[in-house]
Amino acid sequence: MSAREVAVLLSWLSCCGSAVWRYSSNSPSYRIFSTRSTIKLEYEGTLFTEWSVPEMCFVLNKSSPKTELHCSSPGVHAIKPIVTGPDEEERNLFVDSSHTCFLWYYRVRQFFNNLTQVISVWVYDPENADPDELLGSAEKPSINSIVLSTQMATLGQKPGIYTILKRKAYLANEKMKKGTWHIVVPMTRDDALKEIRGNQVTFQDCFIANFLILLTFPLLTIPEIPGSLPISSPRGSQLMVSWDACIVASVVLVTDMETFQTNDSFRTWTRIRVPPGSLSDAERRSVADVIISRDGIFFLINGVLYQKSFRGFVKLGRILNLPDGGITGISSRKWCWVKYLSKAKERRSNFAVWTENEIYLEYILLKFARLITTTELKNILNLSVTATLTIHSVEYTGHPLEIAVFLSYCTICTVTKKILLVIYNEDTKQWVSQDLTLDAPIDSAFVPHFIFSALPGLILWNKHSIYYCYHNFIFTGILQTPAGHGNLSMLSNDSVIHEVFIDYYGNILVKMENNVIFYSKINTRDAVKLHLWTNNTTRALILLSPSGYTYFLYALDNGTIQIQDYPLSLETRSIAFKTKDKCPYLAFHNNVARVFYFLDKGETLTFWTQIIYPENTGLYVVVESYGPKILEESHDISFEAAFGYCTKTLTVTFYQNVDYEGIYDYFEMQHNNTGLVMVQLRPSEYSKTCPIAQKVFQIAVGCDDKKFIAVKGFSKKECHRHDFSYVIEKSYLRHQPSKNLKVRYIRKKYGCPLRLDLTEKFQPVVQLFDDNGYVKDVGANFIVWEIHGRDDYSFNNTMAQSGCLHEAQTWKSMIELNKHLPLEEVWGPENYIHCFSYAMGKPGDLNQPYEIINSSNGNHIFWPLGHSGMYVFRVKILDPNYSFCNLTAMFAIETFGLIPSPSVYLVASFLFVLMLLFTILVLSYFRYVRIYRQYIYKPPHKPQRKHKKN
């Protein structure tokens, strides 16, 4: 918000309604509120005289309605304006003495060519920053911030970005440039919540506060098309809002003038409008409810559902398996569970649509399916056929796979009705009736909202009161104020409830239509009235920022919207100081670092939680779980008392004690022992002043689809060979075909083959990986087989050498038992039986090769010496107690060494030719010798003698 926008907002707020006063600081979201902070005081009204402040604080201009305050001493300081009329309420401001003085600032650049984000990070001092930095609109650091960041870097500061869910770290990989660090992170959707953290470096005794941010794939707002018309709620109605449960910065707001959309918590926003002629003027001003999802924005108008997306504005109906009219409500998820375990093949739904008699669920890509009808629900609940049963509302619970359905039930529907609750599990497809029944007037209506907890719990409200149902609906009642009123309208000038805001920390804010706010905490049974923050005529909402802080959203009469940070923690502490409300414990710690854990076979999960409290209060830690009864727990408690305080530490271990070996119904047994368990750690007592009242997380018992195995030394990335073909001799194949087998070697699929000499034995080393990389070497039993059917290899260990007491399983015996199955399914953990007991199996021949390998039994694969070859193996974990996953991997071996043996016929032919040539040479020798001799002793020409003349 620019300075001009702030002035417009303050002017508009001060021109109307009752007088109020508030305060602010230069630190966004009041993250730093200390003796170093400049506190800005502001009074709205005409009766102001001066400010009343304690001696430890200095006010810049005591008689100005807008001034600045500095408190040199930490503690609680009573501040209030002195007016000529009735006294204004006094606030007790908690001023800290923290050494945290600086903040991180960041900007994001998107690179779609490699799906990365470059985060530019620098340090700034809120008390000496540029206005653009304070408003979050700066594109580069100010001069002061460059100097500060450079100084911090000189002292060893180097920031990093750490993800909350997957616990990954990304550090600045280059030196600072112009006072800015640059960090490269991949775009992600399921690990969007991140934190900027630096080294523990101080400058002038000041640290930098960690900063929680939300980084996901770039989100786009639907553009406004020129000539489009506004769509709104009926004139004079209150604001309505919807946000993405996992991207709280993505919000759609409907006012009685316009509809707005944002992807950055309304720092910027666009208007959502519809094409002319798509709706009548009356329909455009009749939005009854709204939902934002990945498939677009959905409006409920006069019982019909409409979708606004990048493709346009369309009416949804029978063509998408939805009713053409009569829709009474829509509801989406309120809590984000990025990861969850579902045994069902279908994905979980995004939002629910219902009529009086039917419920529909929307899945990704705009696919709707009818879930159930009231006629079917009557049969499930064993209700009278003649009774009237209608769907009151549908709400997603705090569990990622459950949907709550509230039903209106009556037999003589004249005066009262009963509200029944059933919960549907999208994984098990089961309906469970809950022990919750409310009696209500026949024409009454209420709004439900499930809280963030392991055990199901919710609050419901009508126009005047808040009903709570905690701890799996065991503790129920109406929130009471200290004055003993359950009717909140009586304490807010007869205004009615407009909004109930609940966050992940257990805070409950009840905002009335005149902006009076009541505060409560989940699992507590009372509410207190907070200081007035906004005048009674301002149309406002309370929302949650990506950093976990609350802010007010204002809809102004000029058709624009503005936001303002709200100091919830400071406001509640101010009231608690006045009411003397104290948290019963001093500290509540635990080592739960994630919200989602996988538990596989043979694994354990151990957590500790510690509570520190005054002596003689008897507090302890409560461990609660909700879901299938598939986990066992062991608890260990340690206790220590000193200096009037007690420290109690609870160590809890979750595990399974199931043996899957030799079970006939292996897969059914696995299915029955997998599922999602919600766990909650909380103190036995707490109050509204306790900072965080509980720790909620999931334990998914089953297969982690990110887990896989690989054989050490093999890679698919570092191989430079191309695809090629080779032929396997038919005699080397297991099934003895009539022809040789030609095989295409696909490098991307099989990886780079390892070349081994024929005399080298080979034992695969199997390694376990997950999405974070290498985990450990696998010590469990595994088997290997050549995927193309080769069996011209063997194993060096015999069954007797391996310690078998009866004949062990082999590929030959398993193929005989499972002739109807493909080779990769004939042998696995589902039918594995060990050979180390006399009680099972037959003695048999123990001199056969033992075909099971593990890291310690020394069993190796060896190769035939008569020929070389190419082998493509698949390895499978055989131990039934190792993992719920079907863990397999592939690797290839190429053997070399000896020249292939020639054919017998070729050798015989060669010898025959060789002997023939030798014979010819011998005969030729004697022939030429004879001729030679003949020429020596009997010359062919006799010399002629000369006669002597007389």
Side-chain angles (χ1 to χ4, degrees):
M1 194 187 305
S2 67
R4 178 179 177 277
E5 290 173 329
V6 172
V8 171
L9 173 61
L10 296 179
S11 174
W12 185 84
L13 290 175
S14 61
C15 72
C16 311
S18 59
V20 296
W21 74 275
R22 64 178 70 87
Y23 54 94
S24 62
S25 74
N26 290 328
S27 173
S29 303
Y30 301 84
R31 280 179 285 174
I32 300 175
F33 201 80
S34 66
T35 54
R36 193 175 179 273
S37 303
T38 299
I39 303 172
K40 299 177 182 179
L41 301 178
E42 170 199 348
Y43 177 82
E44 294 178 5
T46 58
L47 304 178
F48 178 80
T49 301
E50 63 178 15
W51 292 100
S52 172
V53 299
E55 294 181 357
M56 290 80 73
C57 299
F58 168 74
V59 63
L60 191 63
N61 187 347
K62 198 171 186 179
S63 60
S64 174
K66 296 179 183 179
T67 187
E68 294 181 357
L69 177 72
H70 292 271
C71 293
S72 58
S73 176
V76 181
H77 302 292
I79 313 291
K80 76 171 184 177
I82 299 176
V83 295
T84 56
D87 286 345
E88 287 288 346
E89 57 184 348
E90 181 180 75
R91 280 184 167 93
N92 299 287
L93 296 187
F94 279 73
V95 178
D96 200 358
S97 61
S98 171
H99 288 281
T100 301
C101 315
F102 307 134
L103 298 172
W104 294 109
Y105 191 100
Y106 77 100
R107 302 303 296 173
V108 183
R109 287 184 296 160
Q110 317 287 350
F111 291 90
F112 292 96
N113 58 328
N114 57 2
L115 297 179
T116 60
Q117 297 166 316
V118 176
I119 317 300
S120 301
V121 180
W122 66 85
V123 186
Y124 75 103
D125 180 0
E127 301 303 320
N128 297 284
D130 278 2
D132 288 343
E133 288 179 318
L134 296 178
L135 296 172
S137 58
E139 295 295 331
K140 59 182 181 179
S142 62
I143 297 298
N144 289 338
S145 298
I146 291 176
V147 173
L148 178 59
S149 299
T150 304
Q151 182 64 41
M152 296 293 282
T154 303
L155 295 172
Q157 184 58 265
K158 191 174 183 180
I161 293 181
Y162 301 83
T163 68
I164 303 301
L165 183 61
K166 296 186 178 180
R167 320 300 293 182
K168 293 185 177 181
Y170 305 94
L171 303 177
N173 52 8
E174 58 184 24
K175 293 183 179 179
M176 171 184 285
K177 294 180 180 179
K178 298 180 180 180
T180 304
W181 292 275
H182 300 282
I183 305 172
V184 179
V185 301
M187 294 181 183
T188 179
R189 188 184 297 274
D190 59 353
D191 200 17
L193 196 60
K194 301 173 174 69
E195 188 175 49
I196 302 177
R197 294 203 301 262
N199 300 328
Q200 293 297 314
V201 175
T202 64
F203 177 64
Q204 296 180 349
D205 293 329
C206 284
F207 291 93
I208 308 171
N210 297 337
F211 188 19
L212 197 66
I213 62 176
L214 189 71
L215 286 180
T216 182
F217 272 94
L219 301 173
L220 301 176
T221 55
I222 300 174
E224 181 182 343
I225 300 175
S228 297
L229 300 176
I231 183 171
S232 64
S233 57
R235 180 64 65 181
S237 58
Q238 292 291 319
L239 306 182
M240 64 180 71
V241 70
S242 175
W243 63 90
D244 189 310
C246 292
I247 308 175
V248 294
S250 180
V251 189
V252 60
L253 169 72
V254 179
T255 72
D256 62 355
M257 297 179 65
E258 291 276 2
T259 296
F260 304 90
Q261 184 190 5
T262 181
N263 286 327
D264 56 7
S265 297
F266 287 104
R267 294 189 181 277
T268 62
W269 43 267
T270 58
R271 291 181 174 88
I272 299 297
R273 296 191 168 189
V274 298
S278 57
L279 294 172
S280 66
D281 290 345
E283 289 173 329
R284 285 193 297 106
R285 301 186 184 96
S286 301
V287 175
D289 209 344
V290 66
I291 278 177
I292 186 171
S293 79
R294 294 179 182 177
D295 292 321
I297 301 173
F298 297 85
F299 296 96
L300 180 59
I301 301 173
N302 295 338
V304 179
L305 194 63
Y306 296 84
Q307 180 205 28
K308 175 68 175 179
S309 66
F310 289 96
R311 294 184 296 272
F313 183 76
V314 295
K315 176 182 177 180
L316 307 180
R318 200 167 303 278
I319 191 172
L320 290 175
N321 199 31
L322 275 179
D324 291 325
I327 296 175
T328 56
I330 53 178
S331 178
S332 61
R333 298 183 182 274
K334 301 297 189 298
W335 305 111
C336 177
W337 294 106
V338 176
K339 297 188 70 174
Y340 59 94
L341 178 69
S342 175
K343 295 183 285 187
K345 294 181 179 180
E346 299 85 0
R347 296 177 66 97
R348 65 174 185 168
S349 60
N350 296 320
F351 65 86
V353 181
W354 66 92
T355 65
E356 285 191 349
N357 301 301
E358 295 176 321
I359 300 175
Y360 298 82
L361 299 180
E362 191 270 346
Y363 300 90
I364 195 167
L365 301 179
L366 208 63
K367 295 181 179 179
F368 289 89
R370 189 173 69 177
L371 176 63
I372 202 167
T373 66
T374 51
T375 302
E376 295 168 333
L377 283 170
K378 282 183 180 180
N379 294 330
I380 294 173
L381 301 175
N382 294 320
L383 299 178
S384 171
V385 179
T386 59
T388 301
L389 185 70
T390 58
I391 298 167
H392 180 278
S393 58
V394 178
E395 184 75 7
Y396 286 90
T397 72
H399 192 287
L401 297 171
E402 291 187 346
I403 304 172
V405 178
F406 295 87
L407 301 169
S408 295
Y409 172 75
C410 58
T411 52
I412 303 175
C413 305
T414 55
V415 180
T416 62
K417 62 182 178 182
K418 291 185 181 295
I419 303 297
L420 310 178
L421 173 61
V422 290
I423 291 182
Y424 173 73
N425 189 296
E426 292 191 83
D427 187 25
T428 63
K429 312 298 182 185
Q430 293 181 344
W431 292 88
V432 179
S433 177
Q434 303 299 315
D435 188 18
L436 177 65
T437 303
L438 301 176
D439 294 318
I442 195 67
D443 58 348
S444 65
F446 60 87
V447 181
H449 194 316
F450 278 80
I451 62 176
F452 184 72
S453 65
L455 298 180
L458 77 152
I459 60 173
L460 309 97
W461 66 92
N462 54 25
K463 291 183 177 182
H464 311 290
S465 302
I466 302 289
Y467 301 83
Y468 61 83
C469 305
Y470 296 142
H471 299 299
N472 205 5
F473 315 113
I474 294 176
F475 301 104
T476 61
I478 299 177
L479 284 183
Q480 301 288 327
T481 63
H485 292 290
N487 189 329
L488 302 183
S489 297
M490 297 178 63
L491 300 177
S492 54
N493 297 324
D494 295 326
S495 183
V496 298
I497 297 174
H498 168 223
E499 175 196 13
V500 176
F501 170 86
I502 309 176
D503 64 13
Y504 289 91
Y505 307 106
N507 298 307
I508 301 176
L509 293 175
V510 182
K511 193 192 81 66
M512 313 300 285
E513 287 189 355
N514 65 354
N515 296 324
V516 171
I517 300 176
F518 294 90
Y519 174 75
S520 183
K521 201 92 170 183
I522 64 172
N523 299 323
T524 61
R525 306 180 186 189
D526 60 337
V528 294
K529 186 178 179 180
L530 296 182
H531 303 296
L532 190 64
W533 187 261
T534 304
N535 65 63
N536 57 14
T537 61
T538 306
R539 291 181 299 164
L541 275 171
I542 302 173
L543 295 174
L544 185 69
S545 73
S547 300
Y549 297 97
T550 53
Y551 67 94
F552 264 100
L553 174 66
Y554 301 113
L556 308 184
D557 289 338
N558 61 1
T560 62
I561 53 179
Q562 302 291 354
I563 59 174
Q564 185 181 49
D565 292 334
Y566 180 63
L568 176 58
S569 177
L570 292 172
E571 291 291 274
T572 55
R573 293 178 73 179
S574 175
I575 293 295
F577 183 82
K578 181 179 178 180
T579 59
K580 307 300 181 183
D581 189 6
K582 292 184 178 180
C583 185
Y585 55 87
L586 272 70
F588 177 66
H589 302 294
N590 58 76
N591 70 333
V592 180
R594 305 180 183 182
V595 295
F596 185 87
Y597 291 88
F598 258 112
L599 186 67
D600 210 340
K601 294 177 182 177
E603 295 179 345
T604 61
L605 284 174
T606 300
F607 305 99
W608 62 262
T609 180
Q610 185 180 81
I611 186 170
I612 303 174
Y613 57 92
E615 284 183 335
N616 302 320
T617 55
L619 298 185
Y620 56 93
V621 176
V622 178
V623 181
E624 297 169 319
S625 61
Y626 174 76
K629 305 301 181 184
I630 55 177
L631 286 179
E632 296 188 34
E633 300 177 21
S634 65
H635 293 194
D636 180 63
I637 300 175
S638 62
F639 178 81
E640 181 180 344
F643 304 106
Y645 292 96
C646 300
T647 301
K648 190 174 291 184
T649 304
L650 169 67
T651 302
V652 56
T653 300
F654 296 94
Y655 62 96
Q656 276 196 326
N657 189 18
V658 181
D659 186 3
Y660 294 90
E661 186 173 338
I663 297 177
Y664 174 75
D665 51 352
Y666 174 83
F667 293 111
E668 182 179 353
M669 188 75 169
Q670 274 201 146
H671 185 273
N672 294 337
N673 283 281
T674 58
L676 188 66
V677 180
M678 304 283 289
V679 181
Q680 180 171 281
L681 307 176
R682 64 174 179 86
S684 56
E685 296 179 19
Y686 45 85
S687 69
K688 295 183 293 299
T689 57
C690 299
I692 299 179
Q694 60 186 13
K695 191 69 176 183
V696 180
F697 58 97
Q698 300 178 61
I699 299 178
V701 183
C703 174
D704 181 359
D705 58 3
K706 303 296 183 182
K707 182 182 291 187
F708 65 95
I709 59 171
V711 179
K712 184 179 181 179
F714 293 84
S715 172
K716 295 182 180 180
K717 298 180 180 179
E718 301 176 359
C719 185
H720 302 292
R721 298 183 61 172
H722 299 289
D723 295 353
F724 58 92
S725 298
Y726 62 95
V727 176
I728 302 176
E729 172 72 29
K730 60 183 179 182
S731 61
Y732 305 153
L733 296 173
R734 190 186 305 273
H735 53 287
Q736 296 294 310
S738 58
K739 296 181 180 180
N740 295 340
L741 178 64
K742 185 176 182 179
V743 175
R744 182 69 176 170
Y745 189 92
I746 305 173
R747 180 184 60 83
K748 289 185 178 180
K749 183 177 181 181
Y750 303 144
C752 190
L754 176 66
R755 301 189 78 240
L756 292 178
D757 188 273
L758 291 173
T759 59
E760 289 186 72
K761 299 176 183 179
F762 178 72
Q763 183 182 41
V765 177
V766 182
Q767 297 179 321
L768 182 67
F769 296 83
D770 60 16
D771 55 346
N772 291 319
Y774 170 81
V775 177
K776 62 180 179 180
D777 286 355
V778 175
N781 289 340
F782 60 89
I783 53 175
V784 298
W785 71 97
E786 212 282 334
I787 64 172
H788 299 118
R790 298 189 73 144
D791 63 352
D792 56 331
Y793 59 90
S794 189
F795 301 85
N796 67 308
N797 280 3
T798 64
M799 298 177 186
Q801 290 173 330
S802 299
C804 288
L805 300 178
H806 65 80
E807 188 174 303
Q809 293 174 323
T810 63
W811 278 107
K812 182 178 179 181
S813 64
M814 299 307 292
I815 291 172
E816 284 294 321
L817 290 174
N818 302 282
K819 294 180 179 179
H820 60 289
L821 295 176
L823 182 63
E824 60 270 15
E825 296 181 14
V826 300
W827 194 7
E830 67 276 8
N831 55 18
Y832 168 69
I833 299 176
H834 67 78
C835 63
F836 307 111
S837 172
Y838 288 110
M840 8 174 52
K842 58 181 181 179
D845 181 10
L846 300 186
N847 292 319
Q848 299 178 68
Y850 186 65
E851 299 182 355
I852 300 172
I853 307 175
N854 61 48
S855 60
S856 60
N857 68 359
N859 202 10
H860 292 69
I861 306 172
F862 68 87
W863 322 101
L865 300 178
H867 58 272
S868 60
M870 177 69 71
Y871 300 81
V872 181
F873 287 102
R874 186 183 293 274
V875 57
K876 178 195 286 188
I877 301 299
L878 187 63
D879 188 346
N881 291 313
Y882 185 76
S883 177
F884 288 105
C885 302
N886 181 28
L887 296 173
T888 65
M890 299 183 71
F891 66 97
I893 301 289
E894 182 181 5
T895 60
F896 67 95
L898 296 178
I899 300 175
S901 302
S903 170
V904 176
Y905 300 104
L906 181 62
V907 173
S909 300
F910 177 77
L911 291 176
F912 173 77
V913 172
L914 186 64
M915 293 177 64
L916 180 63
L917 289 174
F918 180 77
T919 303
I920 293 173
L921 287 174
V922 172
L923 293 175
S924 299
Y925 171 77
F926 287 109
R927 170 66 178 167
Y928 281 105
V929 167
R930 191 173 65 176
I931 294 174
Y932 179 73
R933 286 177 177 174
Q934 183 179 357
Y935 273 95
I936 292 176
Y937 299 106
K938 295 180 179 180
H941 301 287
K942 292 182 179 180
Q944 294 182 359
R945 293 182 178 181
K946 291 183 179 182
H947 297 281
K948 204 173 200 186
K949 293 182 181 182
N950 296 326

